[in-house]
Amino acid sequence: VLKLELYYWPMLPGRGEFRRLLLEDGNVPYVDVARESEDAGGGIAAVMRIREAAELLVPPFAPPILKVGDLVIAQTAVVCEYVAELAQLHAKTRAPHYAVTILDILDEVHDTHHPLATSLAFEQQRAPAIRASNEFLNGRLQTRLAYFERVITVSARGWIVGETITYPDFALFQLLSGLDYAFPCAMSKVMVDYPLCVALHDSVRRRPSLAGYLASTRRLPFNQYGIFRHYPELDLTS
Amino acid sequence: VLKLELYYWPMLPGRGEFRRLLLEDGNVPYVDVARESEDAGGGIAAVMRIREAAELLVPPFAPPILKVGDLVIAQTAVVCEYVAELAQLHAKTRAPHYAVTILDILDEVHDTHHPLATSLAFEQQRAPAIRASNEFLNGRLQTRLAYFERVITVSARGWIVGETITYPDFALFQLLSGLDYAFPCAMSKVMVDYPLCVALHDSVRRRPSLAGYLASTRRLPFNQYGIFRHYPELDLTS
């Protein structure tokens, strides 16, 4: 039996959550290493160690990182594709480009609160962040949602790829959940135009295979350390 | 024989170039549809048509798009992985996360000249762009180059994955070429610390299998429409 070790910052859902949802839904056992205690080899120190480990054939650049025996892979999209295979949530050739398209939107969301540089605090880039969020919430977000609304329309089954749920559906669920946290006012206005996206989000949320996880402490809540952050001044107000 | 059709904006190398290098090096025949004349079904109109085509099972979100028979896939990383297989430049499980890591840097480079929004002209975001470029050229760029310098050191063969050239090597070549165009002053200072990256760039440039292409008009030069743009005020000067 392969032992799956995940490495990701333990205090935020971030990009790590995208592969955790798949493993939980597929009931694939894993160890969330950085969420173990420091005494047990966990914590942030574990993430730092695997990033720096000199003996690795494939040094990872940044978490999320997955270790399976001697195999070490990183990058959310690559890890998700690998994990989706194990969780039987893959659809070869058709699923990956949807997943990557959704994951790209994470960067855009991050840049709404950090448009200039991640090395500067939000407070040091508040004015540009307001401009960037305004652009995002008044056009780019709608273009992306309209695309997925069209995709779900084409598939005609309520999922992205077609007949059944696949890993991009979980990614869209997590994206929409994060956007609800970050921009509650904007989302309550915008989403009325994308009923199939809303329905997909709801279908994932209600899955029996995921219910236990979503109600557990393993599911990290969104917070102000992550990609999705709630700054009222960046949301739409009227 | 599969007919490969590429769709990408015909006036810039951009993300399209990443898969074109692989096809050219691997001597895989393809049609660069948007670079055919409008009369022959090419031009920007061809890109717009395939984006909107209602009958597609998998509607693409944005170019680069690849069509092979009934299969339509998009997203640079996904297309590159598919094409690398055909061009025999793939290394399963080890290559993809390097390629994705390099492609992510493209977004950062784009954001140096458009930190606030792509819908605004550069001139409307010049001051934030100067701040963003300064951050990129004084830290983030070095972190990324140091990572690939380490990766090439670990592989010990002058390539990213190891024994032989694989598709992330072409991606790193194109990234470094673009950075040379965009930030000639910064790059001439920074690259002295990354000799293995410089040597890899040179090795790709000198490949006999690529020489004809690089000297041809099929190779689009960098220009001010692309991801990599040269604005002197964003480069380092002293």
Side-chain angles (χ1 to χ4, degrees):
Chain A
V1 177
L2 291 171
K3 184 183 170 202
L4 289 188
E5 294 183 341
L6 311 186
Y7 294 80
Y8 193 71
W9 310 122
M11 62 291 198
L12 59 125
R15 291 183 170 78
E17 187 65 13
F18 286 81
R19 45 131 178 71
R20 207 183 279 123
L21 283 170
L22 305 177
L23 294 167
E24 292 282 353
D25 191 87
N27 202 22
V28 179
Y30 64 93
V31 182
D32 215 338
V33 180
R35 297 186 69 192
E36 304 285 307
S37 73
E38 295 247 351
D39 291 344
I44 289 176
V47 180
M48 303 312 285
R49 270 197 305 275
I50 196 166
R51 283 178 79 178
E52 301 305 327
E55 77 281 10
L56 292 179
L57 192 61
V58 180
F61 180 64
I65 296 162
L66 175 70
K67 186 170 187 305
V68 190
D70 288 337
L71 175 68
V72 174
I73 53 176
Q75 283 288 356
T76 313
V78 180
V79 173
C80 279
E81 194 170 350
Y82 183 91
V83 161
E85 192 77 39
L86 300 178
Q88 299 188 289
L89 295 166
H90 204 331
K92 294 271 185 196
T93 76
R94 293 180 62 195
H97 100 257
Y98 294 122
V100 174
T101 301
I102 295 164
L103 293 169
D104 273 357
I105 302 172
L106 295 189
D107 293 330
E108 299 187 300
V109 173
H110 178 271
D111 291 352
T112 60
H113 53 78
H114 278 73
L116 297 191
T118 51
S119 56
L120 300 173
F122 167 68
E123 291 70 22
Q124 293 174 281
Q125 50 193 318
R126 188 191 306 263
I130 289 171
R131 276 179 82 184
S133 298
N134 196 46
E135 288 289 324
F136 178 72
L137 296 176
N138 288 290
R140 288 182 81 77
L141 174 59
Q142 287 82 348
T143 313
R144 281 138 188 77
L145 292 170
Y147 170 70
F148 283 100
E149 193 75 6
R150 177 184 170 206
V151 166
I152 305 168
T153 306
V154 169
S155 89
R157 302 291 183 97
W159 303 115
I160 289 173
V161 167
E163 284 89 77
T164 185
I165 194 168
T166 60
Y167 76 101
D169 296 306
F170 292 86
L172 188 58
F173 163 79
Q174 182 66 7
L175 171 68
L176 295 174
S177 302
L179 288 168
D180 279 339
Y181 170 79
F183 306 110
C185 293
M187 286 294 280
S188 72
K189 272 177 234 174
V190 166
M191 291 309 292
V192 295
D193 292 330
Y194 309 102
L196 296 177
C197 290
V198 171
L200 183 148
H201 181 268
D202 208 51
S203 299
V204 175
R205 191 173 59 78
R206 292 172 186 276
R207 281 173 72 76
S209 50
L210 211 52
Y213 169 67
L214 292 179
S216 75
T217 56
R218 298 196 302 285
R219 167 81 171 168
L220 283 162
F222 295 106
N223 59 48
Q224 296 299 84
Y225 301 107
I227 295 162
F228 300 100
R229 303 188 195 181
H230 177 57
Y231 295 110
E233 60 267 53
L234 302 186
D235 196 3
L236 299 183
T237 49
S238 60
Chain B
V1 177
L2 292 172
K3 185 182 170 202
L4 289 188
E5 294 184 341
L6 311 186
Y7 294 80
Y8 193 71
W9 310 121
M11 62 291 198
L12 60 127
R15 292 183 170 77
E17 187 65 13
F18 286 81
R19 45 130 177 73
R20 207 183 278 123
L21 283 169
L22 305 176
L23 294 167
E24 291 283 353
D25 191 87
N27 202 23
V28 179
Y30 65 93
V31 182
D32 214 339
V33 179
R35 297 186 69 192
E36 305 284 308
S37 73
E38 295 246 352
D39 292 345
I44 289 177
V47 180
M48 302 311 285
R49 269 196 305 277
I50 196 166
R51 282 178 80 177
E52 301 304 326
E55 78 280 9
L56 292 180
L57 192 61
V58 181
F61 180 64
I65 296 161
L66 173 71
K67 186 171 187 305
V68 189
D70 287 337
L71 175 68
V72 174
I73 53 176
Q75 283 288 356
T76 314
V78 180
V79 173
C80 279
E81 194 170 350
Y82 183 93
V83 160
E85 192 77 41
L86 300 178
Q88 299 187 289
L89 295 166
H90 206 329
K92 295 270 185 195
T93 75
R94 293 180 61 194
H97 99 258
Y98 294 122
V100 174
T101 301
I102 295 164
L103 293 169
D104 273 357
I105 303 172
L106 295 189
D107 292 330
E108 299 187 301
V109 173
H110 177 272
D111 291 352
T112 60
H113 53 78
H114 277 73
L116 296 191
T118 51
S119 56
L120 300 172
F122 167 67
E123 290 70 21
Q124 295 175 280
Q125 49 193 317
R126 188 190 306 262
I130 289 170
R131 276 179 81 184
S133 297
N134 196 46
E135 287 289 325
F136 178 72
L137 296 175
N138 288 290
R140 288 182 82 76
L141 174 60
Q142 286 82 349
T143 313
R144 281 137 188 77
L145 291 170
Y147 171 71
F148 282 100
E149 193 75 6
R150 177 185 169 203
V151 166
I152 305 168
T153 305
V154 170
S155 90
R157 301 291 183 97
W159 304 115
I160 289 173
V161 167
E163 283 91 76
T164 184
I165 194 168
T166 60
Y167 76 101
D169 296 306
F170 293 85
L172 188 58
F173 162 79
Q174 183 66 6
L175 171 69
L176 295 174
S177 302
L179 288 169
D180 279 339
Y181 170 79
F183 305 110
C185 292
M187 286 294 280
S188 72
K189 272 177 234 175
V190 165
M191 291 309 293
V192 296
D193 291 329
Y194 309 103
L196 296 178
C197 289
V198 171
L200 183 149
H201 181 268
D202 208 53
S203 299
V204 175
R205 192 172 58 81
R206 292 172 186 277
R207 279 173 74 76
S209 50
L210 211 52
Y213 169 68
L214 292 179
S216 77
T217 56
R218 298 196 302 287
R219 167 84 170 166
L220 284 162
F222 294 106
N223 60 47
Q224 296 299 84
Y225 301 107
I227 295 161
F228 299 100
R229 303 188 196 181
H230 177 57
Y231 295 110
E233 60 267 53
L234 302 186
D235 197 4
L236 298 183
T237 50
S238 59

